[in-house]
Amino acid sequence: NSGATAPMDFEAILNEVRQLQDVSDRLDSLAKQNPLLTASLIGISGCLRDTATLLEVFVAIKRPALSLISGNA
């Protein structure tokens, strides 16, 4: 990181959140269809869902903070 600040594209991040949630849902579905892989697929699905949640929290925290800094509040 060079220290330069670039505008954050929160909608792009939220789009990635939706994609992670979709992949998590598909893995949950596959887990139900593949008993030998159920535990592994559910674990991976949970990690993806947790990551999506963290990204949502990141956006929720950073978006208002950047608005305040830029004077757009």
Side-chain angles (χ1 to χ4, degrees):
N1 187 1
S2 64
T5 57
M8 298 184 91
D9 187 351
F10 292 113
E11 291 309 314
I13 294 170
L14 292 174
N15 184 51
E16 296 301 323
V17 165
R18 288 185 289 276
Q19 289 185 40
L20 286 169
Q21 291 168 336
D22 289 344
V23 171
S24 176
D25 291 342
R26 289 193 303 270
L27 287 174
D28 279 341
S29 178
L30 285 172
K32 293 173 188 168
Q33 299 169 21
N34 296 284
L36 294 175
L37 301 174
T38 297
S40 297
L41 291 174
I42 288 175
I44 294 167
S45 172
C47 288
L48 289 172
R49 192 159 301 280
D50 290 347
T51 300
T53 300
L54 289 172
L55 285 170
E56 283 182 306
V57 170
F58 171 79
V59 169
I61 291 170
K62 293 294 186 178
R63 183 183 279 170
L66 290 178
S67 294
L68 289 173
I69 291 169
S70 66
N72 294 330

